[in-house]
Amino acid sequence: MIGVEGLSLAIHGTPILRKVSFGIAPGEILGLVGESGSGKSMTALALMGLLPPGAVPEGVAALDGENLLAATEARLCALRGNEIGMIFQEPMTALNPVRTIGDQVAETLRVHGAAGKAEARRIARETLDRVGLSKIGMDRYPHELSGGQRQRVCIAAAVALHPRLLIADEPTTALDVTTQAQILDLLKGLVAEQGMALMLITHDLAVVSGMADRVAVMRAGEVVERGETNAVLRRPSHAYTAKLIEASGHQPDRDALAERAAVLSAEAVVRTYPGARQGLTRGPEVRAVDGVSLTLHRGESLGLVGESGCGKSTLTRALLGLEPVQAGRITLNGGPVGPDMPTDRRAAIQVVFQDPFGSFNPRWRVARLVAEPFHLFGARPADWREQVAGMLEAVGLSRSDMEKFPHEFSGGQRQRIAIARALITRPDVLVLDEAVSALDVSIRAQILDLLADLQGRFGLSYLFISHDLSVVRSVTDRVMVMQAGKIVEEGETERVFTAPAHAYTRSLIAAAPRLELISA
Amino acid sequence: MRRLPLSLIVGAVLSSIFLIAAGLSLLWTPHDVTALDISARFQPPSPEYLLGTDQFGRDILSMLMVGARTSIAVALVAVAIGMALGVPLGLAAAARRGQLLDEIVGRGNDIVFAFPFLVTAILISAVFGPSATNAIIAFGIFNVPVFARVTRSAALPIWTLDYILAARTAGKGQVRISLEHILPNILNVLIVQASIQFSLGIPVEAALSFVGLGAQPPLPSWGRMLADAQTMIYTNPRLALLPGLAIVTMVLGLNLMGDGLRDVLDPRLRRLRA
């Protein structure tokens, strides 16, 4: 049993956590929910005694009566891995790339002196079997495994010694929906089987609703609401919880599409890559996009969903005319699209990316960043500063932001700058490549509203690429499902979601966590 | 403003002593370095000759000042040659990564690296005759692959960022992206590398002059002062000690400055220390 009472934390005098309290019983799952910067991860690190230098915790975090905050480093080393296990968001960086997975799972056992070398390997094998990796050899390296398999290895290392508390910090955020569903199932099974307490940290209310027995909602270092999951989600007592729930299922107001004129279309597009080098020759070529046809109508929002590696990004780059295609044809406003298309056609299709931090040259000011696409017109128009200011105001920023650098903005504001940059040439088509995936739910709702508003004002067509089915469902008219380079299903969004025809679509929809709210 | 690392301050002070001395020697030296005065040979330090005189009666302080100028000029021009050729090659290789040009630049680097530097310098001197200019060219050529590799490896991760893709949708070509987006973002790495190559250039010039392949008489150089003093090291150790000390102090200063610069400019190290 873990009990946290009045946990406060300050780093170099700045308060991070304020009087956080919660408890988790053996065999119970607690969902710790909140947006970025709410202090979820800091709470977990405080329990593990892994706080950054300069952090001063106060209060009590007791594991079966022992206060972890007062424990010595030596005692914490004995507890970590043994009594408390932890898994992280990014399974690639959480594993050592030069050591085999068997060694890494066995290491936990060896460090704690729980087993000799041979015994540790035997237990490691058993644990790997238990997390569903029975067909994977102990001598494999992390890069040989998929993201989901890697996360299973991390889980195996964390639970090998049967810890009493397992902390999972956004364990499925980096994974595809079908993999996410499997990992969540695995965690649930392990909790029931071993009777451990699981602290599940996530930003996704839908994940919590399907997993957690109880939930604690954090904001700005405080637990604003906690209780039994169903009760909290159905009848939130705190305004912030209610706002989070509203934002998660947010449906922006959109005008119905007016025209049926195609603005962007692709016919049987094929994009291949040369195979990997094998000595002096090359292996068979890779077909990343395999005969894809699509039509985007004026004023329409078309969704493109698929899991990582399905060819979405490759297709995007081909549609933007950045890379040549090996077969098929792409047309935009009636003209062909390709690396050497004329600049006025290139100006008609622009893009917004997922990562609000990698989207800007950190050394440029906002005015120059937003004005960059003017390069397509040769020289910047004389009134370019006026146009930039107008566009910044159109996306909800102010003209005084022009002289700032990108690091002065939050993730949501940066995404607004990215939208302003994409719209400055007045394109017809805007490609939104996971444009809201990295944002917190409340920020995401605002950006979706902004996009809906801009679509009406500028007569835009959106190609909305995402792995997040709920977002795609709420903002698109039609949707295409992509698997292994092919479009396996296409149709009206509501039809595809309510009556999916293809088995892969069905499995995607079944795997996606849903926030079921029955207002009683 | 954060506090600057101590190594940067100490290094900058040491280096600037020599830079100022070298600059001053262009306008004024205590004595004429080419004027021989056999009657005043082997003078100990005195108000007239602050660091004494050598076997020909030349003022050692004046020779050290002009020698600093020779060393700095050779190292600086060699770094400039290396950057002028290496940085564009590295940028081009990064822009065309995985293509033929990248291969050519990469293998070309390997070939230059495969030649032992001193042997090549001797070859150049043997063909074109020994001079400070040829020392500059020899070391400059060996700086090219260093900058080409550093530039390419620093530029590669930047090419994968979204703002490069955004610039491409804005219709910008590889040259323009390299100059506007890549170069400014790898400048810190290049500045640090330049300071390291510069500090390597000082002993390289001294070594070439020591074996008679660098600056030719009557132009004073630290390396040749050392070589000339070799035979008199027991009778007049001062003649060898002073230029040796100058080399050590200058290299130490430049290395400390390079270290300090890296601490300030390299974002990866900055994150590690934070």
Side-chain angles (χ1 to χ4, degrees):
Chain A
M1 163 75 191
I2 177 101
V4 175
E5 257 325 299
L7 171 64
S8 296
L9 178 69
I11 298 182
H12 295 301
T14 313
I16 304 292
L17 299 176
R18 290 186 199 86
K19 302 259 176 246
V20 170
S21 302
F22 58 82
I24 318 174
E28 186 183 58
I29 301 177
L30 173 80
L32 195 58
V33 191
E35 299 191 293
S36 40
S38 62
K40 303 175 304 226
S41 294
M42 273 301 158
T43 307
L45 293 178
L47 296 185
M48 296 285 283
L50 292 174
L51 289 167
V56 186
E58 277 170 52
V60 177
L63 180 66
D64 290 331
E66 182 182 3
N67 187 1
L68 298 169
L69 300 182
T72 61
E73 178 62 21
R75 177 69 189 135
L76 284 169
C77 279
L79 287 173
R80 282 179 214 138
N82 199 357
E83 304 290 342
I84 311 174
M86 185 155 183
I87 47 182
F88 299 91
Q89 170 171 347
E90 191 45 74
M92 187 67 233
T93 49
L95 292 171
N96 184 339
V98 299
R99 298 188 59 202
T100 62
I101 58 167
D103 280 353
Q104 298 193 50
V105 177
E107 184 186 30
T108 325
L109 299 150
R110 303 266 293 143
V111 165
H112 291 283
K117 201 169 179 183
E119 176 72 358
R121 285 192 70 80
R122 192 187 58 75
I123 299 175
R125 179 71 264 174
E126 271 180 26
T127 318
L128 285 171
D129 291 350
R130 222 170 56 235
V131 298
L133 293 175
S134 50
K135 292 199 180 70
I136 306 287
M138 301 260 285
D139 53 353
R140 301 286 283 279
Y141 288 91
H143 71 265
E144 299 177 291
L145 308 183
S146 69
Q149 288 171 328
R150 282 184 210 130
Q151 193 60 291
R152 285 172 192 267
V153 174
C154 293
I155 293 172
V159 302
L161 279 168
H162 300 272
R164 282 178 280 170
L165 170 67
L166 180 63
I167 301 173
D169 191 353
E170 303 271 8
T172 58
T173 307
L175 305 174
D176 285 323
V177 274
T178 48
T179 320
Q180 161 167 297
Q182 292 160 7
I183 296 289
L184 292 177
D185 269 355
L186 171 66
L187 285 174
K188 216 170 176 174
L190 286 171
V191 166
E193 200 178 298
Q194 301 192 352
M196 46 179 193
L198 172 63
M199 179 169 143
L200 179 68
I201 300 174
T202 180
H203 68 281
D204 192 338
L205 284 174
V207 166
V208 166
S209 76
M211 280 284 286
D213 303 303
R214 289 189 307 119
V215 63
V217 181
M218 285 190 78
R219 187 185 62 166
E222 279 177 285
V223 172
V224 295
E225 179 161 8
R226 63 193 163 120
E228 199 252 324
T229 305
N230 265 324
V232 170
L233 293 185
R234 281 189 203 159
R235 287 179 300 279
S237 59
H238 195 279
Y240 179 68
T241 317
K243 190 182 138 213
L244 267 189
I245 294 169
E246 195 283 323
S248 303
H250 185 74
Q251 189 113 31
D253 296 326
R254 300 178 49 242
D255 302 326
L257 68 140
E259 301 170 54
R260 295 297 293 174
V263 51
L264 174 74
S265 64
E267 283 166 52
V269 166
V270 175
R271 174 84 178 105
T272 60
Y273 288 111
R277 238 187 247 191
Q278 296 168 343
L280 288 176
T281 58
R282 284 183 180 272
E285 60 175 22
V286 181
R287 279 194 163 223
V289 175
D290 192 358
V292 167
S293 300
L294 64 89
T295 309
L296 176 62
H297 301 112
R298 196 166 292 279
E300 183 186 41
S301 292
L302 176 62
L304 178 64
V305 282
E307 299 192 292
S308 45
C310 74
K312 287 180 306 204
S313 306
T314 310
L315 177 63
T316 310
R317 284 198 295 273
L319 291 174
L320 289 168
L322 295 177
E323 288 176 6
V325 295
Q326 276 65 45
R329 211 171 49 170
I330 303 171
T331 44
L332 174 64
N333 290 333
V337 168
D340 42 12
M341 65 179 170
T343 52
D344 60 325
R345 199 172 304 142
R346 195 176 283 286
I349 182 164
Q350 290 291 314
V351 62
V352 178
F353 301 104
Q354 165 174 10
D355 181 9
F357 295 89
S359 293
F360 305 105
N361 185 339
R363 288 163 200 278
W364 284 17
R365 290 177 196 275
V366 168
R368 191 175 174 199
L369 288 168
V370 173
E372 187 173 32
F374 279 136
H375 179 72
L376 288 164
F377 303 142
R380 288 194 285 220
D383 65 336
W384 70 275
R385 294 190 67 87
E386 261 324 292
Q387 290 198 33
V388 168
M391 196 49 81
L392 285 177
E393 278 162 5
V395 298
L397 296 170
S398 74
R399 76 172 48 224
S400 60
D401 291 329
M402 285 171 71
E403 296 312 315
K404 292 184 186 162
F405 285 100
H407 68 255
E408 298 174 58
F409 296 89
S410 68
Q413 288 172 321
R414 285 177 201 222
Q415 222 49 341
R416 289 175 190 267
I417 300 173
I419 294 169
R421 172 173 67 186
L423 293 183
I424 197 83
T425 57
R426 301 299 163 101
D428 298 307
V429 178
L430 194 57
V431 178
L432 300 160
D433 189 357
E434 303 274 8
V436 297
S437 301
L439 303 176
D440 281 323
V441 279
S442 55
I443 308 294
R444 186 174 75 193
Q446 292 168 13
I447 298 291
L448 290 175
D449 280 342
L450 171 69
L451 287 171
D453 169 49
L454 292 171
Q455 183 164 37
R457 271 161 69 190
F458 293 96
L460 293 163
S461 308
Y462 288 152
L463 179 61
F464 200 99
I465 299 164
S466 183
H467 69 280
D468 188 333
L469 298 175
S470 65
V471 172
V472 170
R473 184 174 190 172
S474 65
V475 301
T476 61
D477 306 303
R478 281 188 309 130
V479 67
M480 297 183 303
V481 182
M482 194 165 180
Q483 183 193 22
K486 290 191 167 81
I487 303 287
V488 295
E489 181 160 6
E490 181 181 359
E492 302 285 317
T493 303
E494 265 322 294
R495 203 275 300 152
V496 172
F497 275 89
T498 48
H502 194 275
Y504 178 67
T505 316
R506 278 198 292 276
S507 72
L508 273 187
I509 293 171
R514 263 179 305 274
L515 184 56
E516 303 278 11
L517 298 170
I518 307 131
S519 35
Chain B
M1 188 61 205
R2 272 175 330 114
R3 269 194 55 208
L4 294 172
L6 186 65
S7 60
L8 180 59
I9 297 164
V10 174
V13 169
L14 286 181
S15 318
S16 47
I17 291 174
F18 288 96
L19 284 173
I20 291 167
L24 188 63
S25 76
L26 288 169
L27 306 170
W28 173 83
T29 50
H31 292 269
D32 184 0
V33 288
T34 54
L36 307 185
D37 183 2
I38 303 296
S39 64
R41 65 203 289 244
F42 298 129
Q43 291 278 323
S46 66
E48 170 74 8
Y49 301 104
L50 278 177
L51 295 175
T53 60
D54 72 352
Q55 71 275 26
F56 298 118
R58 287 175 296 186
D59 178 40
I60 291 184
L61 178 62
S62 306
M63 290 177 74
L64 284 181
M65 284 169 68
V66 180
R69 194 172 82 202
T70 315
S71 289
I72 290 170
V74 169
L76 207 61
V77 178
V79 168
I81 292 175
M83 286 187 91
L85 295 175
V87 172
L89 279 176
L91 286 174
R96 298 280 177 88
R97 63 216 159 278
Q99 297 174 28
L100 186 63
L101 181 71
D102 187 19
E103 288 290 322
I104 292 172
V105 172
R107 298 300 78 74
N109 285 344
D110 293 345
I111 290 170
V112 178
F113 270 126
F115 279 98
F117 166 64
L118 218 52
V119 175
T120 315
I122 291 169
L123 182 81
I124 290 179
S125 302
V127 176
F128 300 103
S131 74
T133 319
N134 288 340
I136 289 175
I137 294 172
F139 192 53
I141 290 173
F142 277 84
N143 272 334
V144 172
V146 174
F147 282 102
R149 280 194 178 173
V150 168
T151 304
R152 178 179 179 274
S153 64
L156 280 183
I158 297 183
W159 271 101
T160 64
L161 295 177
D162 282 345
Y163 62 81
I164 302 300
L165 219 48
R168 291 174 64 200
T169 61
K172 290 188 174 171
Q174 289 173 333
V175 175
R176 212 182 171 98
I177 290 176
S178 291
L179 294 179
E180 286 186 1
H181 288 295
I182 309 280
L183 193 57
N185 282 296
I186 63 171
L187 213 53
N188 48 3
V189 184
L190 294 180
I191 289 172
V192 171
Q193 191 62 42
S195 78
I196 292 169
Q197 292 307 113
F198 184 56
S199 73
L200 284 177
I202 302 293
V204 161
E205 189 275 333
L208 286 177
S209 299
F210 187 85
V211 295
L213 300 174
Q216 295 302 303
L219 184 65
S221 133
W222 292 349
R224 227 188 40 260
M225 287 170 76
L226 266 182
D228 291 346
Q230 219 177 201
T231 51
M232 293 166 278
I233 198 153
Y234 292 110
T235 51
N236 279 295
R238 185 172 39 90
L239 294 189
L241 267 175
L242 288 171
L245 216 59
I247 295 173
V248 168
T249 322
M250 173 102 203
V251 172
L252 181 72
L254 287 173
N255 273 318
L256 284 176
M257 194 168 76
D259 253 21
L261 270 179
R262 194 184 53 205
D263 286 355
V264 174
L265 293 177
D266 193 326
R268 274 167 302 184
L269 280 177
R270 206 184 307 166
R271 213 174 306 141
L272 276 181
R273 291 192 312 162

